[in-house]
Amino acid sequence: MTDALFDTLSKDFLLSKKQLEPIVYGFNQEFKTGLKTPSKGLATMIPSFVTKMPTGNETGTFLSLDLGGTNLRIAAVELKGSGKASVHELKRRPSTELKTGEGSVFFDWIADAIKDLITIEAKHLFSQAQVEGKDTLSLGVCWSFPVDQTGVDRGTILRMGKGFTLLNTEGNDLADMFHDAFNRKGLNVKVTAILNDTVGTLVAHGYTNPACRIGLIFATGINAAYPEKIQNITKLDKSIRDRYPENTEMLINTEIDIFGTEAYLPLNKYDIALDLSHNQPKFQLYEKMLSGAYLGELTRLAAMDFIKAGVLFEGHVPGGFEQAWSFPTEYMSILENDQQDTKREKSFEVLSNFNCVNTPTISDMAILTRICRIVSTRAASLAAVSIISLVDQQHLLENQKDNIIVGMNGTTYEFYPHMDKRVRRALDEWYGEETSSRITLELATEGGSIGGALIAMLCE
């Protein structure tokens, strides 16, 4: 009975090269559509207006700011050359009052934090003239909210989401809001770049390894960035394209998380059930199949079938386990990490979060862990699709004799057990080991801070 259930589960989740081919083809078409469709109509393939990559030899101290749904991170980044950098970071968490109040008050709060960094926390990294405000400091802003970007340092603030409802903010230029606050606080700081965190990852890894051609974040979500020839970005007005020399490349934020449709994604019954229970059905279907926000729920849904069949937990659903989203991806990580321990102590701790009718057995652990492995193996194959399609889009295998460098980061890639090896194996299965060996996956760090500071410097 158990073997038959696993055969069915494997058929549902494990994807052969033949099954991946329509997804790669679909993504290749979506790149082309996104490059010509205005971002207001289709929020993919967003031009960053960044047209330079670092050499690794840059030096100096620059500022970066990274605002997400929860934290504000401001960093003084000292670029030391030879691909080396040191980061002095200050982290603040905005209150609900700040997130729902007057926009100018929120930007003043950010300006105060920047002032603390320059004049107190990281004073030793700046020159006297910078600390006293005589010399201008460049700031790269990583803004994890919708912005209609009109230039590398300009962008109209759109509806923010993530609990932010700032008054008198939407429709204003982001750089203007910052500069007004800096003036009120007596700061000589200039926003020289507005960037997306994935573009930041690509640039940050470009400083470590200037050959980097793809930046990929594989975390609670997934996204990728790469350089595209400006003449191919026809969504940009011809007058903008003509400003740049021929063959200039611009970094593109693909928003690959919203790629994929029911027409070519191999959705199984668990994917469909998860999507129906989500507050944004039919949106980000690809991301829902592989990212850290969703793997735990897919595992729970599959495990429920094993319980109903009587082969897991003696057929009794543990109290709480029947609730949607009650089994986070972190639990999968613990189970897969715990396989070497014959006592499986950490796995038993995970299950203690649920009210089990009978004490779970080692056999229960083995079944649940095997389900985790099958679900996460598909995630690795689907992450590899992003890399394969971006290699195709840039014609890297044909045009480049050197190794193809991919800068990767994100919690799912970095911390989920064996995920890096599984992505590598998926590439080997697609290309064959000889060709696949030309693609090097390197761990990229500090996309928000180092990437933001680098882009601030490159765009001065």
Side-chain angles (χ1 to χ4, degrees):
M1 178 66 153
T2 309
D3 287 347
L5 285 166
F6 273 117
D7 284 347
T8 305
L9 194 70
S10 296
K11 283 194 186 82
D12 280 337
F13 277 96
L14 300 182
L15 301 172
S16 64
K17 181 177 178 179
K18 196 169 176 56
Q19 288 168 298
L20 292 175
E21 280 171 359
I23 315 175
V24 173
Y25 177 78
F27 277 23
N28 290 342
Q29 297 310 114
E30 293 209 38
F31 289 137
K32 291 170 180 59
T33 305
L35 286 170
K36 65 185 180 190
T37 309
S39 297
K40 280 181 178 168
L42 177 67
T44 66
M45 306 302 279
I46 298 167
S48 69
F49 296 89
V50 177
T51 54
K52 291 179 194 160
M53 281 286 279
T55 62
N57 300 321
E58 293 82 359
T59 56
T61 301
F62 301 89
L63 293 169
S64 70
L65 180 154
D66 187 351
L67 180 71
T70 310
N71 293 315
L72 168 72
R73 296 191 308 151
I74 298 164
V77 178
E78 186 184 10
L79 304 174
K80 298 179 174 182
S82 306
K84 301 281 188 290
S86 67
V87 179
H88 191 106
E89 189 177 272
L90 185 149
K91 190 188 278 188
R92 300 269 164 95
R93 182 172 282 204
S95 64
T96 304
E97 289 74 29
L98 275 168
K99 289 161 80 167
T100 55
E102 190 63 44
S104 59
V105 174
F106 181 74
F107 281 87
D108 282 353
W109 173 76
I110 293 176
D112 284 335
I114 292 174
K115 194 168 194 172
D116 281 355
L117 185 74
I118 298 167
T119 59
I120 302 167
E121 300 278 340
K123 187 178 179 181
H124 59 287
L125 293 178
F126 300 101
S127 69
Q128 193 64 30
Q130 287 171 327
V131 173
E132 291 173 0
K134 291 171 185 166
D135 288 356
T136 305
L137 275 163
S138 297
L139 171 66
V141 174
C142 185
W143 190 257
S144 302
F145 300 92
V147 170
D148 181 21
Q149 206 157 339
T150 50
V152 72
D153 59 347
R154 313 298 294 177
T156 306
I157 301 170
L158 304 175
R159 186 177 171 188
M160 288 176 69
K162 298 181 190 174
F164 281 84
T165 54
L166 297 175
L167 304 172
N168 301 309
T169 302
E170 194 177 324
N172 291 343
D173 185 87
L174 180 60
D176 288 346
M177 295 286 287
F178 273 113
H179 293 148
D180 289 348
F182 297 157
N183 289 336
R184 288 192 292 271
K185 297 293 178 178
L187 284 172
N188 189 359
V189 174
K190 183 173 190 289
V191 174
T192 56
I194 296 165
L195 64 140
N196 162 274
D197 58 351
T198 316
V199 171
T201 294
L202 173 57
V203 172
H205 200 63
Y207 187 64
T208 308
N209 187 339
C212 185
R213 294 293 300 181
I214 296 169
L216 186 83
I217 296 178
F218 183 18
T220 49
I222 189 164
N223 198 9
Y226 78 104
E228 179 61 80
K229 286 189 169 54
I230 286 180
Q231 63 255 37
N232 296 338
I233 312 171
T234 55
K235 70 196 311 174
L236 287 176
D237 196 79
K238 189 173 184 299
S239 63
I240 296 173
R241 297 200 304 274
D242 289 347
R243 283 181 214 156
Y244 297 92
E246 200 178 349
N247 290 326
T248 301
E249 291 183 320
M250 183 182 285
L251 306 187
I252 293 284
N253 161 24
T254 62
E255 290 294 349
I256 210 161
D257 54 306
I258 55 178
F259 279 32
T261 68
E262 291 159 285
Y264 65 78
L265 289 175
L267 299 169
N268 61 40
K269 66 177 182 176
Y270 305 112
D271 296 313
I272 293 161
L274 180 147
D275 185 55
L276 286 171
S277 73
H278 195 268
N279 61 5
Q280 287 185 295
K282 311 279 186 183
F283 181 60
Q284 294 178 309
L285 288 172
Y286 165 67
E287 182 171 279
K288 286 172 181 163
M289 296 171 81
L290 81 152
S291 76
Y294 304 106
L295 294 177
E297 177 63 2
L298 289 169
T299 297
R300 186 194 71 83
L301 289 166
M304 287 295 285
D305 279 356
F306 281 69
I307 298 168
K308 284 173 190 160
V311 300
L312 181 60
F313 305 135
E314 296 180 25
H316 300 292
V317 179
F321 195 81
E322 77 288 348
Q323 289 174 3
W325 311 97
S326 60
F327 191 82
T329 303
E330 181 191 354
Y331 290 179
M332 296 172 67
S333 277
I334 294 166
L335 287 164
E336 283 218 55
N337 231 349
D338 201 28
Q339 292 176 85
Q340 282 69 40
D341 178 8
T342 50
K343 292 183 180 170
R344 304 292 302 258
E345 286 175 8
K346 291 203 168 84
S347 300
F348 280 111
E349 272 177 40
V350 162
L351 287 178
S352 71
N353 291 295
F354 304 98
N355 296 318
C356 297
V357 175
N358 302 309
T359 305
T361 63
I362 293 290
S363 167
D364 289 328
M365 295 303 175
I367 289 169
L368 196 53
T369 305
R370 192 173 164 191
I371 296 169
C372 293
R373 189 163 64 242
I374 289 169
V375 172
S376 61
T377 296
R378 182 185 71 164
S381 299
L382 290 170
V385 165
S386 284
I387 298 167
I388 293 160
S389 60
L390 282 163
V391 168
D392 283 357
Q393 176 64 15
Q394 299 176 75
H395 306 288
L396 294 178
L397 287 170
E398 306 98 278
N399 298 347
Q400 200 166 303
K401 295 191 171 51
D402 302 329
N403 274 7
I404 295 158
I405 307 298
V406 183
M408 307 267 299
N409 74 12
T411 46
T412 306
Y413 181 74
E414 290 180 57
F415 303 121
Y416 193 95
H418 322 298
M419 187 58 80
D420 53 347
K421 294 183 187 71
R422 288 170 188 168
V423 173
R424 176 84 262 165
R425 190 167 67 228
L427 293 172
D428 290 347
E429 287 169 3
W430 179 267
Y431 290 110
E433 283 189 31
E434 189 182 341
T435 303
S436 172
S437 68
R438 290 181 53 199
I439 300 170
T440 306
L441 307 181
E442 296 182 344
L443 197 58
T445 52
E446 296 294 354
S449 52
I450 293 177
L454 277 162
I455 293 174
M457 185 251 348
L458 291 167
C459 298
E460 276 186 327

